Amino acid sequence: MAFLQSLSLFQFKNYKEAQSYHFDSPVVCITGKNGIGKTNLLDAIYILSFTKSYFKHTDNQLTHKGLQGVRIEGNYLINNQSINTTLIFRNEKKELYYQGALYKKYAQHIGKIPCVMIAPDDLDLINGGGEMRRKFIDMLIAQISPEYLEHLMCYQQALKSRNLLLQEMKMYQREDKDILDAYSNELIRHGQIIFQKRCVFLQQLIPTIIAQYQLLQNDQEPVSITYKSQLHEQDFKQLIDSNYLRDRSSMRTQVGIHKDDLEFMTNGLPSRTFASQGQKKTLLFACKLSEWIVLKEHHTFPPICLLDDLFEKLDPERSQYLINWIGQQSTGQFFITDTDAQRLTTNFQKNNASIQLIALT
Ligand SMILES: Nc1ncnc2c1ncn2[C@@H]1O[C@H](COP(=O)(O)OP(=O)(O)O)[C@@H](O)[C@H]1O
Ligand SMILES: [Mg+2]
């Protein structure tokens, strides 16, 4: 079980003064008016798991405006062991400590404290470009397999170098075939492993998402999800070789696992263009709940679950489904924000779930 027992914030976003919160319940409800810092508090918990903000905020934006230095500290109970994680950002430098020891690489931390953020406005996962879905898959697999993240980082580095070289070759009318081949080999080596891992992992994730979707959806419009990759059709080396001229003229690597995507279809049509807002939200929730389920299966405990503005953005039926779902979980910790404390307590009382209420003022 991953359980956050306390969180301390110093100069973090709107938390200017040092603040500490103690959590003693599996369901923590955070209430307060708009702009008070509910989402920021969830983001702090997210940062302690992923070393960066959920909301694309840069490390600089984490510090209270006009001040220098920010500190976020969490004390957890993970499988009956007390775990401390502290993040400090000052003088443009980020430091992350785990049990008092400074990490050399932040990537080593990913997966230690599994965590899922569910924010209903996140429809980019459905509406946005492929990079949103790749990020979703990557961050999920990375929390399960540290080697995956290593391969991904090596791949991205090789891709960057290869693209840069392609630009230089064009600019200076040069032919650096040997160096280009070296980068291509790096891409192929790491890309093949990433592709294999995505295949195996998505075989588990996709049916889980579809099952969750069906549980959430009443009108039963069928949804299908397909893992798209150029590597399904052709060997990566052949792909690279046959695209050499195209890569040269466009100065970019046009083939590889950085073009992979997850294709969502509702009723046989692409969900991003044809699904209704409600269907998209359902799909998003199905993805996020599946993330929680799959992480729980791979670790020996469920991830920490952060639910932002759930009841304001969801219709009563889906809200009720989620409350029941949370109530049914015998393990796991859930942090839920809402402007309306009454709404939260009434909803959970119906379910006999014991909750901790934190009212931010
Ligand atoms: N770096 C920062 N310094 C100071 N205030 C910040 C910073 N980042 C965000 N805020 C403030 O935090 C508030 C938003 O908090 P948020 O957690 O989104 O509120 P809520 O979710 O309760 O509506 C805003 O008033 C915003 O100006
Ligand atoms: Mg908010």
Side-chain angles (χ1 to χ4, degrees):
M1 165 106 167
F3 193 96
L4 178 61
Q5 294 176 307
S6 66
L7 177 74
S8 305
L9 306 172
F10 176 63
Q11 296 185 177
F12 173 70
K13 295 194 186 180
N14 66 318
Y15 295 83
K16 184 179 173 197
E17 319 290 342
Q19 288 271 5
S20 284
Y21 299 94
H22 294 269
F23 310 116
D24 53 24
S25 170
V27 181
V28 181
C29 297
I30 298 153
T31 63
K33 60 183 191 327
N34 277 326
I36 201 80
K38 301 182 294 298
T39 303
N40 290 347
L41 199 134
L42 295 192
D43 201 27
I45 302 174
Y46 184 91
I47 291 167
L48 286 179
S49 283
F50 292 97
T51 81
K52 50 179 129 173
S53 167
Y54 183 72
F55 298 98
K56 297 178 198 138
H57 295 158
T58 62
D59 293 336
N60 272 315
Q61 289 169 323
L62 303 183
T63 315
H64 186 84
K65 215 166 41 221
L67 296 179
Q68 282 294 315
V70 57
R71 190 172 188 280
I72 309 170
E73 177 177 352
N75 287 296
Y76 299 82
L77 204 59
I78 299 183
N79 283 342
N80 291 323
Q81 205 196 344
S82 295
I83 299 290
N84 172 283
T85 297
T86 305
L87 182 133
I88 295 169
F89 178 73
R90 62 188 157 201
N91 303 331
E92 301 292 313
K93 215 171 141 250
K94 189 157 70 178
E95 288 174 351
L96 184 70
Y97 297 86
Y98 187 79
Q99 301 294 65
L102 179 69
Y103 279 107
K104 286 206 178 72
K105 288 189 202 159
Y106 309 138
Q108 292 169 327
H109 183 63
I110 308 298
K112 291 250 171 73
I113 308 164
C115 176
V116 174
M117 171 80 91
I118 308 184
D121 280 342
D122 270 356
L123 281 177
D124 275 359
L125 185 68
I126 316 297
N127 291 333
E131 76 277 6
M132 303 304 298
R133 289 174 288 281
R134 283 193 296 280
K135 190 174 166 214
F136 172 70
I137 300 166
D138 288 341
M139 286 320 286
L140 186 39
I141 310 179
Q143 289 188 77
I144 292 166
S145 154
E147 317 87 77
Y148 181 81
L149 194 55
E150 287 282 319
H151 287 296
L152 198 64
M153 283 158 61
C154 292
Y155 182 91
Q156 278 156 357
Q157 188 56 50
L159 181 65
K160 211 168 134 191
S161 307
R162 191 176 188 271
N163 286 342
L164 210 63
L165 184 67
L166 285 166
Q167 286 165 27
E168 286 174 6
M169 280 163 66
K170 179 119 171 181
M171 209 184 310
Y172 304 111
Q173 300 287 312
R174 268 198 338 237
E175 184 78 25
D176 288 326
K177 191 78 173 69
D178 287 351
I179 312 176
L180 194 77
D181 283 349
Y183 290 143
S184 304
N185 289 338
E186 277 289 282
L187 279 189
I188 294 161
R189 185 160 76 84
H190 297 290
Q192 274 168 339
I193 297 170
I194 294 164
F195 173 66
Q196 287 305 330
K197 283 193 178 272
R198 283 182 182 170
C199 283
V200 171
F201 175 77
L202 287 168
Q203 263 170 14
Q204 181 194 5
L205 183 70
I206 289 174
T208 312
I209 300 176
I210 291 174
Q212 286 302 312
Y213 184 84
Q214 282 163 351
L215 287 170
L216 274 158
Q217 181 78 346
N218 301 325
D219 60 14
Q220 295 296 328
E221 291 233 319
V223 69
S224 72
I225 305 168
T226 319
Y227 171 32
K228 293 274 180 196
S229 176
Q230 296 158 327
L231 273 71
H232 284 306
E233 285 115 50
Q234 222 180 344
D235 171 76
F236 199 2
K237 175 146 182 28
Q238 284 173 354
L239 266 173
I240 288 272
D241 289 345
S242 57
N243 271 278
Y244 174 68
L245 290 177
R246 194 155 74 106
D247 282 359
R248 279 216 63 171
S249 68
S250 65
M251 298 180 285
R252 295 197 73 77
T253 308
Q254 301 280 1
V255 289
I257 53 103
H258 58 287
K259 300 277 177 184
D260 286 4
D261 203 352
L262 215 49
E263 185 186 68
F264 295 108
M265 304 276 263
T266 308
N267 238 348
L269 296 166
S271 309
R272 63 192 288 190
T273 27
F274 292 99
S276 68
Q277 279 304 97
Q279 287 167 333
K280 286 178 184 176
K281 273 190 188 167
T282 307
L283 202 47
L284 170 72
F285 269 76
C287 288
K288 295 290 186 150
L289 294 183
S290 302
E291 186 177 0
W292 189 91
I293 293 167
V294 167
L295 280 172
K296 184 182 168 194
E297 279 170 18
H298 281 268
H299 287 277
T300 47
F301 50 84
I304 288 175
C305 191
L306 310 171
L307 297 134
D308 197 24
D309 270 350
L310 189 76
F311 303 110
E312 242 148 272
K313 304 285 168 62
L314 275 187
D315 56 76
E317 275 164 34
R318 288 190 186 87
S319 298
Q320 195 54 50
Y321 175 87
L322 271 154
I323 292 163
N324 296 344
W325 183 83
I326 294 167
Q328 279 159 15
Q329 305 307 323
S330 51
T331 54
Q333 196 181 20
F334 300 86
F335 290 84
I336 306 163
T337 65
D338 199 339
T339 45
D340 187 348
Q342 193 59 43
R343 172 166 54 191
L344 268 184
T345 29
T346 342
N347 274 327
F348 276 98
Q349 266 160 3
K350 276 190 267 174
N351 231 285
N352 292 325
S354 74
I355 60 166
Q356 177 185 0
L357 204 60
I358 297 180
L360 299 179
T361 46

